[in-house]
Amino acid sequence: MTFRDLLSHIYGPSRYLGNEINSVKKDPNKIKIRFALAFPDAYEIGMSHLGIQILYYILNQYPHILAERVFAPDEDLERLMREHNVPLCTLESNIPLRECHIIGFSLQHELCYTNILNMLNLAGIPIYARQRDEKYPLIIAGGPIVVNPEPIVPFFDGFFIGDGEEGIIEIVNTYLQWQRDRGNKEELLQMLSKIEGFYTPFSFYPRYQVDGVLKEIEELQEGYAKVKRRIIKDLDSVPFPSSPIVPYNHPVHDRLSIEVARGCTQGCRFCQAGFIYRPVRERSPETVLKLVRSGLKNTGYEEISLLSLSIGDYQPLPELIRALMNEFSKDYVAISLPSLRIGTVSKDIIEQISRVRRTGFTLAPEAATQKLRNIINKKITEEELFETAKEISSRNWPSLKLYFMIGLPQEGWEDIEAIVALAERLSRLAKGRLQITASISTFVPKPHTPFQWERQISLEESKEKIKFIKRNANRFGLKVRWHEPEQSFLEGVFSRGDRRLHEVILRAWMRGARFDSWKDRFKFEIWQQAFADSRLDPNFYLKERGKDEPLPWDMIDIGVNKEFLWNECLKARKGEVTQDCRYKGCQNCGLCDFKEIAPKIYSKRKIEVPIYYPVKESIRRYRFTFSKVAEARFLGHLELINIFHRAFRRAGIRLVYSKGFHPLPFIVLATALPVGIESLVEKMDVKLYGEYEPKQLLERINPHLPLGICLNTVKEVPLNTSLPVERRQRFIVDYRKCIFDIKKIALFDHQTHFPWQVVRKGKVRKIDLKDVVKKIVPIEQHKLEVILDFPPSGGIKLVEALQAILNLNKNQANNLSIIKMGI
């Protein structure tokens, strides 16, 4: 059994097809390097991450490099892979990971560690680096958390620290040189250590005191005392994907993401990203506009997300947004700004982004008192927060989400009470027009920040404070969401952890820990037992650290001076604020030399775009027939609508949208064909602006559809016509992979009634299958013809009917090959 054979037996098979729009396929005979881009979380999470799209785009620009993706398989797929001994493969070409040359993991948070081990194990690759010689792939990782990779060091050959756009190609070239030289693994790692930003952990050896405190870090490789973070000097000079992959399903962030800036000058003392991505480097507004145009044309997305740690500080933003909306609002393209800082949200910005779609607005005060905001260097005032909320409410925005942290340094109960009080005042301000949600998370001290020396509050303290906020919020209808304290606890342990924690991770994985960042999958009791079995106290890693105490990540140099971080920590304890270097001049963090490394900031400017003059076009309704065959059978009903929606947009054909806060295209399918069933005769109605020749429509749209989906015919129908509901459907069932007693068919034919019951959303409904299944007869070897009638009240799925009549279990039913035919 192959990886593809398992897709009929799992939930959400479209996640594993690997043939999405803009995915890359290459001739294996022309490839010198097979590079697997691994993301240790579900597909929906990984495909929301811009970094993996950037690296995929860069690597595949080279003809001799094949970059393919792999994600953590969900629990149902993992179970089948182990049962049938099927190795973990890349999505695009199903290359077993063990046959790749390099596997690069993108690590975004600390709760993905057990998924890394699981993916290596499913691939048949030894988990520990010391067990892998040069016959195995090179296993490396990058991402924000590798600024302290020590808890997972024994599992990896190396890590890349910093911006990867240039370094990723240097790693590949070094690997090719090593291949030509026929070297051993140790020689490869020595060669890689010469690349700026590459950390080979076995060049360092940590020593501990009797009480467990880190004593020193011994340097084992001469001339390799520090690993300097790699910094891209100019974002406009590095490649950025103009044709990102478009998932079939809805990932967490289902939109065109454009990185406007990298780095931040605010200096919030809790924010790791604000320090490890310094200095701020902005893309020019002209480049951003160019990327948006090409991205929308090549994807068909209906939403743009402008990414930055603090997008409101991007000075060309008001003019950029106005230009984007002037050019694209006619096509119902919306703009989201996921990181707007309070105080930078102008009325003009709110007005512009509300022109197409209003979904929700997010603000992050982080703390509810000015005392705490000064401590964390969050330079906003309560007046600015209320002014922004008032403006959002006045424009009929449906919801406002507020992010708060608990457990911040020097926090008192008055600060917790202030969260409730602040939210209550905002609720009164909204007067029921705005649904306000408070999202609460426990503060986790992060490496390379001024708070890396501070303690993290205990599990009990977190629970008590969240319970207080929840209880008091109910008085005035405030919605409260929270990050589970146990997950924050574990995140804190690994965030500032050391190499001894590898055993805990291994033991937790062996006990079944998977997807630990998912609330419904997280099993804290597994981790508690893993710590006990490893004889390690997790609370040891949450304590306050001394200034002179060696830190496990001291060998990694992010560029910001450690003395500067300590001084910031002292200023926090005094409640002093550090100014923004963007506006108040250099604050001497030690990073910029203002020659090679310096901020790259753009000022306000006028942005000219073509003026769009609306042309009044008539609305027309077109009826299409289409087929859905081969691997397209794994696409669900909503996925199909999404695919057609974006195919029409890529083809430049204007769809008619509904009115209201969330406009939707008029696309109606006659039937919701179950996942796994092919069809030659599906029907769809679409409303378009303008008149088209049928042949012209088919020729323009079909090239933008994925393999297995084809529009076959089209005709114009009256606007007020409804798409007829298919009450009778005919199927051909191939059962060569499914063994059952054929006499069951004759038994069904001879019965007057065949009562059955189906469960839908917890409700049981009784059905007489003799009223639904009008024909079931063998027509040739291993094939059946089945005709179903569907009453207005709803019927039964074909597979359910066959399970009942033929007495099949779920696994047998999944082995049936079914195609819908014309009556």
Side-chain angles (χ1 to χ4, degrees):
M1 185 173 279
T2 67
F3 185 82
R4 281 290 197 265
D5 294 329
L6 302 179
L7 300 186
S8 299
H9 301 265
I10 62 172
Y11 173 78
S14 67
R15 297 178 288 176
Y16 307 103
L17 293 178
N19 61 358
E20 310 97 312
I21 298 299
N22 297 330
S23 58
V24 176
K25 294 288 183 74
K26 291 186 178 181
D27 182 354
N29 297 319
K30 297 179 180 179
I31 299 303
K32 294 181 180 178
I33 288 289
R34 295 183 293 275
F35 199 123
L37 291 168
F39 199 94
D41 210 324
Y43 175 94
E44 297 91 326
I45 307 298
M47 285 307 297
S48 300
H49 175 55
L50 181 59
I52 201 167
Q53 293 261 25
I54 293 174
L55 296 179
Y56 185 87
Y57 176 76
I58 291 173
L59 289 167
N60 280 314
Q61 284 187 314
Y62 294 81
H64 64 286
I65 302 174
L66 174 63
E68 297 194 344
R69 297 160 295 147
V70 61
F71 301 93
D74 216 335
E75 292 173 338
D76 56 349
L77 181 55
E78 179 193 343
R79 184 176 63 254
L80 289 171
M81 290 172 67
R82 294 193 184 281
E83 181 181 334
H84 296 282
N85 198 28
V86 174
L88 186 60
C89 304
T90 61
L91 294 190
E92 286 83 349
S93 304
N94 288 160
I95 301 170
L97 287 197
R98 186 167 173 168
E99 296 178 14
C100 294
H101 298 100
I102 305 173
I103 302 174
F105 281 87
S106 180
L107 307 183
Q108 301 302 304
H109 58 79
E110 293 85 355
L111 299 186
C112 69
Y113 290 164
T114 55
N115 282 0
I116 298 170
L117 273 56
N118 203 44
M119 291 173 74
L120 292 175
N121 181 256
L122 285 169
I125 297 172
I127 287 173
Y128 281 97
R130 65 174 181 270
Q131 298 171 325
R132 302 189 298 261
D133 58 19
E134 53 272 8
K135 296 192 296 290
Y136 289 99
L138 176 72
I139 311 295
I140 59 176
I145 65 168
V146 302
V147 293
N148 178 30
E150 293 304 291
I152 52 172
V153 151
F155 310 128
F156 283 89
D157 298 315
F159 301 87
F160 191 80
I161 315 297
D163 301 328
E165 286 94 336
E166 297 169 342
I168 196 78
I169 298 302
E170 293 175 14
I171 290 170
V172 170
N173 290 338
T174 300
Y175 188 94
L176 285 170
Q177 180 61 51
W178 170 77
Q179 268 189 331
R180 288 190 290 268
D181 295 343
R182 300 179 181 274
N184 58 37
K185 185 175 178 180
E186 185 178 345
E187 291 169 333
L188 172 61
L189 296 179
Q190 287 180 346
M191 293 169 69
L192 289 169
S193 70
K194 293 180 172 59
I195 297 173
E196 185 179 42
F198 198 91
Y199 169 42
T200 53
F202 297 106
S203 298
F204 300 91
Y205 186 78
R207 300 185 185 279
Y208 302 92
Q209 300 178 38
V210 177
D211 60 2
V213 173
L214 182 63
K215 181 181 179 182
E216 62 177 354
I217 301 173
E218 184 181 352
E219 300 158 14
L220 303 180
Q221 183 176 330
E222 189 176 347
Y224 191 62
K226 288 277 187 181
V227 181
K228 191 175 180 181
R229 173 172 66 100
R230 188 67 169 265
I231 299 173
I232 295 294
K233 314 305 191 288
D234 182 359
L235 292 187
D236 283 344
S237 69
V238 293
F240 189 88
S242 56
S243 302
I245 298 170
V246 184
Y248 294 134
N249 69 352
H250 284 287
V252 175
H253 302 304
D254 189 23
R255 56 205 183 195
L256 177 66
S257 295
I258 304 294
E259 185 187 31
V260 174
R262 193 175 300 178
C264 181
T265 57
Q266 289 296 318
C268 299
R269 291 167 179 142
F270 61 86
C271 180
Q272 187 181 57
F275 290 92
I276 67 172
Y277 289 123
R278 290 188 178 198
V280 64
R281 290 144 292 159
E282 297 178 345
R283 279 192 168 88
S284 69
E286 292 78 15
T287 299
V288 173
L289 193 57
K290 178 182 175 183
L291 290 172
V292 169
R293 285 171 177 156
S294 62
L296 290 177
K297 178 183 177 182
N298 296 326
T299 64
Y301 276 123
E302 62 281 358
E303 183 175 345
I304 309 159
S305 182
L306 301 180
L307 301 182
S308 166
L309 291 175
S310 181
I311 189 64
D313 288 319
Y314 185 61
Q315 295 302 301
L317 182 66
E319 282 295 321
L320 176 62
I321 290 180
R322 185 178 293 105
L324 290 172
M325 295 311 298
N326 286 344
E327 185 168 347
F328 297 113
S329 62
K330 70 182 188 301
D331 299 319
Y332 291 89
V333 175
I335 293 179
S336 67
L337 305 172
S339 56
L340 269 176
R341 183 173 60 85
I342 298 165
T344 64
V345 188
S346 68
K347 293 181 180 180
D348 185 45
I349 288 176
I350 294 175
E351 180 181 352
Q352 290 297 325
I353 62 178
S354 64
R355 282 170 61 176
V356 172
R357 190 179 301 122
R358 300 182 186 95
T359 51
F361 217 101
T362 301
L363 299 173
E366 311 293 0
T369 62
Q370 196 60 50
K371 177 201 81 174
L372 266 191
R373 288 196 289 270
N374 288 347
I375 287 170
I376 65 177
N377 208 42
K378 190 81 176 182
K379 295 177 284 294
I380 61 171
T381 65
E382 199 167 280
E383 290 72 26
E384 290 172 324
L385 173 59
F386 275 87
E387 187 63 35
T388 302
K390 185 177 179 180
E391 186 65 29
I392 293 168
S393 179
S394 69
R395 295 188 179 275
N396 297 317
W397 224 271
S399 62
L400 172 63
K401 180 184 282 188
L402 301 170
Y403 281 110
F404 293 100
M405 285 189 290
I406 59 171
L408 289 164
Q410 302 181 61
E411 177 185 79
W413 268 104
E414 69 278 5
D415 299 300
I416 302 300
E417 293 166 354
I419 293 176
V420 177
L422 179 61
E424 184 175 9
R425 289 172 59 199
L426 286 169
S427 293
R428 287 204 203 98
L429 175 71
K431 297 178 181 178
R433 296 192 302 265
L434 190 66
Q435 174 59 60
I436 296 178
T437 302
S439 182
I440 312 295
S441 62
T442 303
F443 163 65
V444 175
K446 293 286 185 177
H448 305 288
T449 70
F451 289 159
Q452 65 181 353
W453 292 278
E454 299 288 356
R455 75 177 278 265
Q456 180 172 330
I457 63 173
S458 68
L459 195 55
E460 292 70 26
E461 289 174 279
S462 290
K463 290 180 178 179
E464 185 181 5
K465 291 176 179 181
I466 290 173
K467 183 179 179 181
F468 174 86
I469 294 170
K470 287 164 54 182
R471 183 174 64 247
N472 285 276
N474 289 335
R475 292 187 286 106
F476 53 92
L478 173 70
K479 282 188 177 180
V480 179
R481 301 284 184 268
W482 63 93
H483 191 64
E484 291 297 325
E486 292 85 356
Q487 290 175 300
S488 298
F489 177 86
L490 195 63
E491 181 186 344
V493 171
F494 291 126
S495 175
R496 296 189 294 169
D498 54 41
R499 292 190 189 186
R500 294 172 295 184
L501 288 169
H502 74 91
E503 184 181 346
V504 177
I505 298 167
L506 177 68
R507 288 180 181 275
W509 167 72
M510 292 175 68
R511 287 181 172 272
R514 310 279 192 278
F515 294 98
D516 293 299
S517 64
W518 295 44
K519 188 181 293 189
D520 60 334
R521 309 280 185 93
F522 181 66
K523 300 180 179 67
F524 189 52
E525 64 276 8
I526 288 179
W527 287 97
Q528 289 175 306
Q529 190 59 54
F531 277 106
D533 292 344
S534 304
R535 294 184 174 85
L536 285 174
D537 178 10
N539 293 289
F540 169 83
Y541 295 96
L542 306 184
K543 67 180 181 62
E544 183 179 345
R545 316 284 174 100
K547 181 200 174 189
D548 299 322
E549 181 180 331
L551 301 173
W553 52 90
D554 274 346
M555 75 290 288
I556 293 174
D557 179 13
I558 66 161
V560 176
N561 191 289
K562 192 175 179 181
E563 195 63 32
F564 172 81
L565 295 177
W566 177 251
N567 287 333
E568 281 294 294
C569 181
L570 295 179
K571 289 177 73 174
R573 293 172 183 178
K574 298 174 185 176
E576 296 177 2
V577 170
T578 297
Q579 296 302 320
D580 186 337
C581 66
R582 178 193 294 264
Y583 306 110
K584 300 294 183 178
C586 179
Q587 301 296 310
N588 299 311
C589 74
L591 178 68
C592 298
D593 59 10
F594 299 99
K595 295 176 183 177
E596 288 292 314
I597 300 176
K600 189 172 181 63
I601 295 173
Y602 288 89
S603 58
K604 293 181 181 180
R605 62 178 70 186
K606 187 76 174 174
I607 301 173
E608 301 290 343
V609 297
I611 300 175
Y612 171 71
Y613 296 100
V615 177
K616 191 171 181 60
E617 294 180 289
S618 60
I619 296 176
R620 308 280 181 133
R621 183 173 184 142
Y622 294 90
R623 183 159 297 160
F624 295 85
T625 65
F626 67 94
S627 52
K628 188 184 82 157
V629 298
E631 289 192 342
R633 71 187 186 276
F634 293 122
L635 299 170
H637 179 71
L638 295 179
E639 290 173 330
L640 267 181
I641 293 176
N642 200 35
I643 287 166
F644 281 121
H645 179 197
R646 287 168 179 170
F648 276 83
R649 295 179 68 92
R650 287 193 297 274
I653 295 173
R654 292 189 64 214
L655 292 151
V656 175
Y657 285 79
S658 62
K659 306 298 181 183
F661 285 147
H662 196 81
L664 296 172
F666 187 91
I667 300 175
V668 180
L669 273 60
T671 57
L673 198 66
V675 173
I677 295 181
E678 297 177 277
S679 177
L680 300 179
V681 289
E682 294 303 287
K683 293 179 181 178
M684 170 181 68
D685 274 12
V686 181
K687 285 185 181 179
L688 304 175
Y689 286 106
E691 184 177 2
Y692 293 91
E693 289 292 326
K695 183 181 179 182
Q696 179 190 18
L697 274 178
L698 299 180
E699 287 178 348
R700 286 181 64 176
I701 300 168
N702 272 328
H704 295 281
L705 292 172
L707 290 174
I709 299 179
C710 181
L711 297 176
N712 299 316
T713 66
V714 60
K715 64 179 180 181
E716 187 176 353
V717 296
L719 265 178
N720 59 356
T721 305
S722 296
L723 186 61
V725 178
E726 297 181 358
R727 296 298 182 201
R728 175 162 287 195
Q729 299 177 11
R730 174 173 166 260
F731 301 88
I732 302 299
V733 180
D734 188 326
Y735 60 88
R736 72 189 64 199
K737 294 182 180 180
C738 179
I739 300 173
F740 64 90
D741 185 359
I742 197 72
K743 295 178 182 177
K744 296 284 185 182
I745 297 175
L747 185 64
F748 175 78
D749 285 339
H750 285 98
Q751 293 189 9
T752 307
H753 299 283
F754 199 104
W756 195 253
Q757 62 183 29
V758 293
V759 180
R760 296 281 187 271
K761 297 180 179 179
K763 295 182 179 180
V764 177
R765 189 159 57 87
K766 294 181 179 179
I767 291 178
D768 187 344
L769 288 184
K770 294 296 288 187
D771 294 335
V772 178
V773 181
K774 294 303 180 182
K775 184 178 182 181
I776 176 168
V777 295
I779 55 172
E780 56 184 272
Q781 190 175 18
H782 301 301
K783 288 188 178 179
L784 304 172
E785 180 184 17
V786 182
I787 295 179
L788 300 185
D789 272 4
F790 293 91
S793 60
I796 186 172
K797 294 178 182 177
L798 172 61
V799 172
E800 293 174 332
L802 293 173
Q803 281 184 268
I805 295 168
L806 304 177
N807 193 27
L808 306 177
N809 61 37
K810 187 176 180 181
N811 188 55
Q812 288 174 305
N814 286 334
N815 282 324
L816 297 172
S817 178
I818 303 172
I819 186 166
K820 181 181 168 187
M821 311 291 286
I823 292 292

